[in-house]
Amino acid sequence: MSGKARVLMLGTALDGRGGVATVVSMLRAGGLFEREQVRYVATHADGGRGAKARAALSGLLRTLGICLFRRPQVVHVHAASNASFLRKSLLLAVARGAGCRTVFHLHGACFDRYAEQQASPLLRRWIRHTLQATSVVIALSPHWADFLRRLAPGARVIVIPNSVPLPPASRTEAEPGRIVFLGQIEPRKGIYELLEALALLAPRHPQAVLAIGGQGEVEAVRRRAEALGIADRVQFLGWLSGADKQAELARAAMFCLPSHAEGLPMAMLEAMAAGKAVVATSVGGIPHAVRDGDNGLLVAPGDVAGLAAALGSLLDDDQRRRELGARARATIARDFEAGAVIDRIADLYHELEGRTSGLARVTWLVNRLRCMSVAEIGYRVQQVAVTKLARRLDGNAAPAPLPRALALAPRGAPPLDEGERAALLRDAECILAGRVLLFADRRYDVGAPPLWNRDPETGIVAPSVFSGDIPITYRDRVGDIKHIWELNRHLHLVRLAQAWAISGDARWTAALAAQLRSWLDQCPPSIGPNWASSLELGIRLINWRLIWQLCGGEAGPLFAGADGARLKADWLASIHAHCRSITRHLSRHSSANNHLIGELAGLYVAAVTWPCWRASRGWQALAKRELEAEARAQFSRDGVNREQALAYHVFACEFLFLAGLLGQACGDPFAPGYWTVLQRALRFLRSVTDAGGHVPRIGDADDGAVFRLDAAGNGRAAQLLALGDAVFGGGTDAPGVRWLLHTLPGPRPDTGTREAATGWCFPDGGYLLFGSGFGTPREIKGVLDCGPLGYLGIAAHGHADALALTLSVAGEECLIDPGTYSYWQAKKWRDYFRGTAAHNTVRVDRLDQSVSGGRFMWLRKALATIERMPQSPQDFDFRGSHDGYRRLADPARHVRSVRFDGAGGTLVVRDEVTARRPHQVELFWHFAPALDVRLAGSELVARGKAFTLQLQVSGAGLQLELVRGAEHPPLGWASRSYESKEPCDVLRITAVSSAVPVECRFTINLL
């Protein structure tokens, strides 16, 4: 590129063959070079010794010139082992000498063998020095990050995986039995074991064919195939790239890479992106992408019989092969999508340049102060003093516990059918192997026992220092704090206790004792990131209570013998420290949202379960009194959680139910008004849930759960409704509810009057429902948001979605709220998913309705007003407005009218932006990813499984555009679960107007 480069990147020639050239080409094609002013210099080229020497010399001279005379801010090198490392280490030294920040990006599959076995002592010291002197070392997976940290303890290592583009779904039919191998043809790639496995498969699978793409030991492999009698089943494709590679992957039934050593192979990721089932080995970074039995199959390197069995199982089962391929493609879309990886590299460059440090922190602090009252500022100052005092006092031992604990220990397990028992035990086996489910549906290899302060996503280990000194939002030092905290909530340890309750097998309590012991050793009071949030302490206490009860209480097998007695004593000391820390650091003022409810619930549960200290009675009384007050404060009179986020509606209810049921069980019942709040909250949740069980993804969602007692770990809204049915109506068939009530064997609360099961009008909470046939297979259900942005001064979990609406038809999502995606991915994604453009409403002058002050903070909040209240959901006639754009230099007012005619199945939405001068007006309609959406002129048709929806748009000077999966800026994305996103169709209607209305007429036809 011409002009001064901010970033100098060094690597192999881009027209060469191999993974590094592919990686860098992806980064360039994805826009990184243009966005970040990257200049690329090749320091290696394919060919003979002469060509390689010329490339190395040319690269050295060009690097010297650029570093000395043009002074890039960052020098980013891609390196492997042997000569590659030596070249790049010298170039890094040159860059450091010129004052540049440096990035070492490791790709070598055998770098561990090179550094530990092949290198001389002097070279090992040079390797360690290079890694530790580099500003940042990028590893491709947590496996490689762990190795590099052991090799060079002073190095700053982060994980950024390789990325691949997600190609359009291929329409080419896979050829039955076609196994594809892509890569260097050499022993390290396991090609000879693959031939032997094919020979074992041949007698039973006459359709099995191996297609080999790559270069290397072609003739040796050909001779080996002849010797094994399978020469007619082996095809040699040569080196494949671009369209040829994609065409070959489209033909493949499956992809196989049985390597002995790997970084994170690009060919495998490309096969997964193409939707192919993968059979690979559990080496290097491969397990970071392939989860055995979930989105592919893993075997041990060199295990020919195991490899043949894995391939044979897919040859025998086309359905399973297709399912693994679909999940592999979904993994790429979620975890290895090129845009997200490029954003992370760009953020790293910005950080190294100092563009995201001091100023951003000062700006955030100023914004946060703007959201505080004088009283809150005083409270925050007091908290600083309390934290400083805790630094000195928290090392003191807890007072000796009194010899008593709550005796509610249930015997065995609740009634379960064989399938439910088997599912729980399978999950427990995964946990025993170190594979733990976090969030809604993602398993991570965390180890058994885990490194509890380690982020399982990035591999970064947070420092074991006083928790108040840890900058938990700094990804380079802590990783993604959400991942650390999710693991340390210990929901998965409850599963081990359930397994023991089901089977009585001592290995479950032994594993549980080992995990608890390791946590207590690694996380002493106030040390490390797991003591930095009072909410996390509260959730952990709740799950510890479940473990304690399911394992028989203080007389249970966990505490047998001297080791058990020591575990009990240390555990109780930590429980005391948890309670003490929560009482010192309760979330107050503008932070008193679901966090405060969770903290109080955890404190109440601990004080009741372990009334072992003189302070316990006071903790119990405080927690109960404030829980009753917060239940009334945080839910509207018609049952809506005031955070305006339905996932947190469920989250807060889980806390309130658990504390209330424990009060019933121990003879400390909560007031009837407390249970009335929960009844109304369930009424609202039941009302907005459509006939297919979908709940609109309004507001923030992070898939956080208070407890996970069912095997699936999903459907929390449905489980909460089932819990309400059991508590208020009697009887339930939900296994998670059976488990919870089994651990809380008390009388059900006397709630007095019963609330109606459902409703449609929730004006105090800010939601109105329209539609027809509610609760039937032909249901049409819409939800209109006409309430506040969020709760308290920062409205942390609200989205800029005033007057937005969602629609489902026949239990199928149609017009959607795209959800949240992530709290801590690149800022552009957080801003997009919570911004106005990600909702079915109007944006003016490309500005959000409300003004953001940070990832969890809104400075100016749009206020919606109902101007005409509808009379029924079937004959719905609404008019409302909001003041979000009154802040503009030329103030604008958005007015929306919504009319639904149940008899005719028509929905008419009319939007008008009034101002003195013209403004750019954008109207967005987001369609569920599964729908088939087509735009022709001013008419759009969306087809679902049981309906068609026709949309006609009218207005002056309109431009209509159907957008799907755009990244710069983001538009056309949906997120069903935390850290997961997928493309969806969005109709963007644009006009420049000062008063001309836009009318959208939807006609719904049920099939």
Side-chain angles (χ1 to χ4, degrees), residues 346-361 474:
D347 287 346
L348 175 62
Y349 293 161
H350 298 168
E351 178 205 322
L352 292 175
E353 292 172 315
R355 291 162 55 191
T356 59
S357 53
L359 180 60
R361 288 195 294 272
Y474 286 27

Side-chain angles (χ1 to χ4, degrees), residues 733-927:
D733 197 38
V737 173
R738 274 181 260 140
W739 275 105
L740 182 62
L741 298 182
H742 179 67
T743 69
L744 295 166
R748 299 297 168 251
D750 181 8
T751 58
T753 59
R754 297 295 175 89
E755 296 287 329
T758 60
W760 69 273
C761 185
F762 303 89
D764 188 40
Y767 297 98
L768 301 174
L769 275 61
F770 60 87
S772 60
F774 288 173
T776 72
R778 297 180 67 80
E779 173 189 80
I780 298 173
K781 178 173 285 187
V783 179
L784 174 64
D785 183 342
C786 52
L789 173 67
Y791 187 51
L792 301 176
I794 57 176
H797 294 300
H799 288 187
D801 56 1
L803 303 182
L805 61 84
T806 63
L807 178 71
S808 71
V809 181
E812 187 176 356
E813 293 178 304
C814 181
L815 298 174
I816 63 168
D817 186 313
T820 299
Y821 177 43
S822 175
Y823 292 158
W824 298 109
Q825 290 287 354
K827 183 176 179 293
K828 75 171 187 179
W829 292 110
R830 177 65 172 151
D831 290 345
Y832 166 67
F833 275 96
R834 69 200 289 253
T836 302
H839 297 89
N840 298 321
T841 187
V842 167
R843 182 171 72 169
V844 177
D845 292 344
R846 296 185 177 272
L847 298 173
D848 288 333
Q849 299 164 340
S850 298
V851 179
S852 174
R855 289 177 183 262
F856 299 97
M857 187 187 343
W858 293 99
L859 300 178
R860 300 189 62 164
K861 308 170 188 69
L863 178 63
T865 302
I866 299 174
E867 300 178 0
R868 183 172 63 240
M869 177 67 76
Q871 299 304 305
S872 74
Q874 296 85 9
D875 187 15
F876 190 89
D877 189 2
F878 165 89
R879 177 185 170 93
S881 63
H882 71 81
D883 64 358
Y885 294 114
R886 302 298 294 174
R887 70 183 192 269
L888 302 181
D890 175 38
R893 178 171 177 259
H894 173 210
V895 180
R896 168 166 279 190
S897 299
V898 179
R899 299 195 309 275
F900 176 76
D901 175 15
T906 58
L907 169 67
V908 180
V909 181
R910 178 186 173 93
D911 290 291
E912 186 174 345
V913 175
T914 58
R916 292 191 302 272
R917 295 190 296 272
H919 292 264
Q920 184 185 59
V921 176
E922 296 169 285
L923 169 59
F924 303 93
W925 295 113
H926 297 75
F927 294 89

Side-chain angles (χ1 to χ4, degrees), residues 424-488:
L424 287 169
L425 291 174
R426 280 197 304 271
D427 192 25
E429 291 286 358
C430 287
I431 294 166
L432 208 60
R435 296 177 57 239
V436 173
L437 182 71
L438 301 181
F439 307 111
D441 58 0
R442 298 183 65 188
R443 283 203 182 272
Y444 290 84
D445 288 308
V446 302
L451 292 174
W452 294 103
N453 293 337
R454 176 179 177 271
D455 170 17
E457 176 72 14
T458 66
I460 294 175
V461 180
S464 294
V465 299
F466 180 67
S467 59
D469 293 337
I470 299 174
I472 58 173
T473 61
Y474 286 27
R475 289 178 66 96
D476 62 311
R477 302 184 197 177
V478 177
D480 189 328
I481 192 63
K482 277 290 298 175
H483 290 78
I484 296 177
W485 283 347
E486 189 73 15
L487 174 66
N488 284 272

